[in-house]
């Protein structure tokens, strides 16, 4: 069938569905208003059962209208962009190929004929996974073999075909470069369903791996892949998985806003997002003040030699984790270090104690209660209270918090005699949760069936050990160890795999975000020399020297004027510290948006911030206004990360 004719047929069906639904919604609105008026006018004459029935009917109408309005929203999108691809597949044993059109959402006509297939449908894997030739797709455990005879891509805008290309590959190179070359018009992550590569699709559709680790270079699409995987799992497990069963641990408020639209655009409900501190605090019943994580990170970046920074770094180290484990084991060993005297007549030998305490793996206080019961039964004691009390005295603390504070006092690297009875530094939060798990036990959250953790490199292995205990179900973890803003943790990926059961590590070294010139420039600062870029060529990286602060502002203002007059739509000015942000903001004569720890949305095309808050974001143009010439001669996670925020244009002002 002629492509234009098919497109017009599909749009006609979509418009018909919209008209019918809008008519139903309007009719329901009338019914709702009439019911509401009736219940008000005859309130005195209605008994409580009639009132209840009317309220239930009104609630039903309201819920149905919300559902139908959501469907209308999807249909309105489909009217503009019904589909983006088509495959022609000839089933094994058949003579003629069948056309299958693939879009963001599926669409069937009134007779049940499928006009468009959802990108997550099994048959859509033909488009993502195969070149022309022998192919298959799998549905309900059965493989359907045949030959892929046609792959066609469309760029459709406002119901009109702007570009149509036939390809043998997953995505035609020209089509891919056209999509990657577009400017970003808003500070929201876009869906990538039109340009998903074969290796990305394989990860998105992996519904067997329990704990998936995605190590991807800057611009490889790792966060998008993780979110599209959630959309796919929600589609595949509709009966057992809902949006409220998925939790994203996000690095900051702005990043949460940046990725919030992806799932709704794919037809799913928005996922709940929390930062790591909020997640950790939710498992603590005690009233304990906890420092803000972003403040501690800022201190570490700007004053790495300060006492707070050094404590932060130490508590991320393997040595600190070893000390934690050793101290908890020491507490357990104390329980059977000596014979236990219950009375003049009854003494429990340390050999017997060790036998009881060695057989069971439980949190220490729970283990004491259990073993005390076993010993009381063996000794035919009326109750076990005396044994419990005497054993707890050997631990030396009544609760986990007290035990953790005592532990800190034995560490000269971080303890300086401060009184912190009701206060924890943020870097203490997860070490304390480790103590709580080992001493008292914490009931895990099993309502969250899938945990997504982004920017994995900025958390310690201790974070992941505790998170595995608190959220034992599935996980998708993504990040780039070369973008760690704190420090490179030796053997981080190996350590992470040792913590997570049934895991799979996937690595992506191809960058799609930045132009070839920007990636080639940024690569010099990265230890990962496997980093490659799509050959989308653009402007050369501009390195502009400046003499002093006045000249710096003059050069910066000039570049911003060029930006406003040019084709690009978003610009990020990324400084090395907060003091530089405030100074530049004061001296610039144009309005800019400042990203701070509490920023949730960006309301200006020009953004001023530090790398701490620019991580994960992307801008058409990036300006680094305060780079020292010596930095260009060194490996630097921070500089690599800053440079790879740019899609099309990168400018460095060098002093």
């Amino acid at each position: 069938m002629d492509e234009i004719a098919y497109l017009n047929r599909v749009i006609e069906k979509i418009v018909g569905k919209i008209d019918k639904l809008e008519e139903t919604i309007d009719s329901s609105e009338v019914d709702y208003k009439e019911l509401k008026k009736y219940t008000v006018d005859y309130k005195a004459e209605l008994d409580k059962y009639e009132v209840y029935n009317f309220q239930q009917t009104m609630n039903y109408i309201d819920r149905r209208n919300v559902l139908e309005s959501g469907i209308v929203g999807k249909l309105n999108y489909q009217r503009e962009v019904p589909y983006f691809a088509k495959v022609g597949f000839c089933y094994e044993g058949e003579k003629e190929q069948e056309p299958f059109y693939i879009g963001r959402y599926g669409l069937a006509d009134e007779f049940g004929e499928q006009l468009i297939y959802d990108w997550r449908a099994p048959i859509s894997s033909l488009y993502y996974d195969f070149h022309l030739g022998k192919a298959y797709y799998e549905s309900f455990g059965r493989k359907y073999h045949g030959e892929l005879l046609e792959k066609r891509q469309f760029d459709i805008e406002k119901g009109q075909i702007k570009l149509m290309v036939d390809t043998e590959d997953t995505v035609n190179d020209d089509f891919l470069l056209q999509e990657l070359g577009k400017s970003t018009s808003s500070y929201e992550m876009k869906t990538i369903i039109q340009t998903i590569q074969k290796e990305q699709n394989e990860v998105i559709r992996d519904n067997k791996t329990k704990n998936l680790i995605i190590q991807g270079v800057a611009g490889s699409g790792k966060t998008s892949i993780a979110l599209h995987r959630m959309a796919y799992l929600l589609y595949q497990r509709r009966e057992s998985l809902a949006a409220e069963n998925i939790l994203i641990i996000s690095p900051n408020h702005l990043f949460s806003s940046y990725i919030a639209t992806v799932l709704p655009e794919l037809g799913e409900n928005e996922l709940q997002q929390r930062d790591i501190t909020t997640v950790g605090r939710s498992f603590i019943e005690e009233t304990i003040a906890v420092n803000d994580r972003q403040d501690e990170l800022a201190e570490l970046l700007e004053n790495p030699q300060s006492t707070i920074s050094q404590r932060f770094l130490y508590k991320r180290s393997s040595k600190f984790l070893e000390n934690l484990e050793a101290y908890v084991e020491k507490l357990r060993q104390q329980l059977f270090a000596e014979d236990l005297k219950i009375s003049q007549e009854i003494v429990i030998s340390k050999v017997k104690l060790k036998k009881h305490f060695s057989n069971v793996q439980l949190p220490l206080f729970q283990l004491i209660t259990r073993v005390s019961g076993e010993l009381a039964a063996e000794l035919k004691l009326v109750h076990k209270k005396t044994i419990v009390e005497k054993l707890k005295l050997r631990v030396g603390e009544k609760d986990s918090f007290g035990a953790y504070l005592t532990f800190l006092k034995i560490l000269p690297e971080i303890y300086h005699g401060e009184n912190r009875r009701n206060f924890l530094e943020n870097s203490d939060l997860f070490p304390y949760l480790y103590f709580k798990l080992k001493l008292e036990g914490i009931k895990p959250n099993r309502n969250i069936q899938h945990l997504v953790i982004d920017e994995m490199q900025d958390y310690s292995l201790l974070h992941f050990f505790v998170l595995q205990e608190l959220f034992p179900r599935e996980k998708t973890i993504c990040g780039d160890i070369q973008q760690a803003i704190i420090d490179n943790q030796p053997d981080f990926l190996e350590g992470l795999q040792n913590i997570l059961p049934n895991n799979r590590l996937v690595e992506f070294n191809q960058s799609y975000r930045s132009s070839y010139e920007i990636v080639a420039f940024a690569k010099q600062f990265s230890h990962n020399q496997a980093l490659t870029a799509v050959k989308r060529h653009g402007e050369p990286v501009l390195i502009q020297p400046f003499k002093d602060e006045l000249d710096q502002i003059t050069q910066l203002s000039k570049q911003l004027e060029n930006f406003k007059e040019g084709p690009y739509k978003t610009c990020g000015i990324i400084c090395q510290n907060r003091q530089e942000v405030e100074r530049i903001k004061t001296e610039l004569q144009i309005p800019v948006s400042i990203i701070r720890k509490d920023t949730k949305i960006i309301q200006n095309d020009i953004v001023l911030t530090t790398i701490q808050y620019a991580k994960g974001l992307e801008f058409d143009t990036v300006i680094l206004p305060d780079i020292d010439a010596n930095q260009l001669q060194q490996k630097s996670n921070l500089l690599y990360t800053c440079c790879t925020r740019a899609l099309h244009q990168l400018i460095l002002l060098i002093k």
Side-chain angles (χ1 to χ4, degrees), residues 81-138:
V81 188
Y83 45 83
F84 57 83
K86 170 191 176 184
V87 294
F89 187 63
C90 183
Y91 285 93
E92 199 170 60
E94 301 289 334
K95 293 183 179 179
E96 294 186 6
Q97 74 176 50
E98 292 187 38
F100 300 100
Y101 289 82
I102 301 165
R104 181 182 289 184
Y105 313 120
L107 178 76
D109 66 13
E110 64 272 28
F111 304 109
E113 180 187 355
Q114 199 71 29
L115 303 176
I116 306 170
Y117 286 84
D118 190 294
W119 69 277
R120 298 167 291 183
I123 203 164
S124 299
S125 64
L126 292 171
Y127 169 70
Y128 293 115
D129 289 345
F130 294 96
H131 301 291
L132 296 184
K134 297 294 182 183
Y136 69 89
Y137 67 93
E138 189 171 351

Side-chain angles (χ1 to χ4, degrees), residues 448-638:
I448 298 300
Q449 297 181 35
H450 206 111
L451 187 68
V452 180
I453 307 170
D454 205 350
E455 302 292 344
M456 65 181 180
Q457 69 278 358
D458 290 333
Y459 304 116
S460 69
L461 292 176
L462 177 58
H463 279 106
F464 288 102
F465 177 88
V466 172
L467 288 171
Q468 173 60 26
E469 296 293 314
L470 300 180
F471 299 94
R473 307 287 292 268
E474 295 181 350
K475 294 171 198 67
T476 298
I477 299 169
C478 58
D480 179 11
I481 55 176
Q482 301 299 324
Q483 293 185 66
I485 64 172
I486 304 170
D487 63 335
N488 280 326
Q489 300 178 78
D491 304 319
F492 174 79
L493 292 175
E494 182 181 344
L496 187 55
Q497 288 185 280
N498 289 335
I499 289 169
L500 302 174
N502 306 318
N503 69 77
R504 175 190 174 205
L505 172 64
V506 181
E507 298 191 45
F508 294 116
N509 288 309
Q510 176 104 336
S511 177
Y512 298 95
R513 175 192 295 136
S514 306
S515 68
Y516 184 85
E517 288 75 12
I518 291 171
V519 173
F521 179 80
K523 188 174 180 178
Q524 67 183 304
F525 308 116
S526 172
H527 291 278
N528 180 12
Q529 293 306 298
L531 168 64
T532 59
V534 171
K535 287 184 170 56
R536 175 179 68 80
H537 288 283
E539 301 178 25
V541 175
L542 176 62
I543 298 178
Q544 180 67 50
F546 67 88
K547 300 179 225 174
D548 50 33
E549 289 184 354
L550 179 60
D551 188 32
Q552 176 196 35
I553 297 301
T554 301
Q555 297 285 355
L556 180 56
S557 298
K558 179 183 175 183
Q559 296 299 336
L560 291 175
E561 285 299 320
N562 292 340
F563 163 75
K564 287 191 284 187
E565 293 171 3
Y568 304 129
K569 297 176 182 177
T570 60
C571 175
I573 307 169
I574 306 175
C575 300
Q576 297 195 59
N577 56 61
R578 292 173 295 181
Q579 292 75 22
E580 194 73 0
V581 167
E582 295 304 323
R583 185 182 66 80
I584 289 176
K585 176 190 174 227
T586 302
E587 296 186 24
L588 277 178
Q589 301 299 311
I590 60 172
V592 296
S593 288
I594 310 294
I595 303 179
R596 299 185 177 92
K597 67 179 182 181
D598 54 352
T599 302
K600 294 183 179 178
I601 57 172
I602 299 174
Q603 298 177 321
N604 199 296
D605 292 340
I606 301 174
V607 167
L608 181 60
T609 189
T610 63
I611 185 56
Q612 182 177 352
Y613 302 111
K615 280 173 63 66
L617 305 181
E618 58 185 34
F619 309 89
D620 291 331
T621 297
V622 165
I623 303 175
L624 309 182
D626 55 351
I627 301 299
D628 189 289
N630 293 329
Q631 292 177 260
L632 301 184
Q633 311 306 318
Q634 304 166 9
K635 297 293 183 184
S636 169
N637 288 351
L638 294 178

Side-chain angles (χ1 to χ4, degrees), residues 39-51:
T39 58
V40 172
D41 291 346
Y42 296 94
K43 183 178 180 180
E45 300 175 27
L46 298 173
D47 62 37
K48 62 180 181 181
Y49 299 107
E50 290 174 310
V51 171

Side-chain angles (χ1 to χ4, degrees), residues 397 402-412 414-421:
E397 299 290 344
Y404 181 68
L405 294 181
T406 301
F407 162 70
L408 290 181
K409 291 176 183 177
I410 70 169
L411 301 174
I414 58 176
Y415 181 70
H416 302 286
E418 58 271 81
N419 180 13
R420 297 200 294 164
R421 185 60 206 174

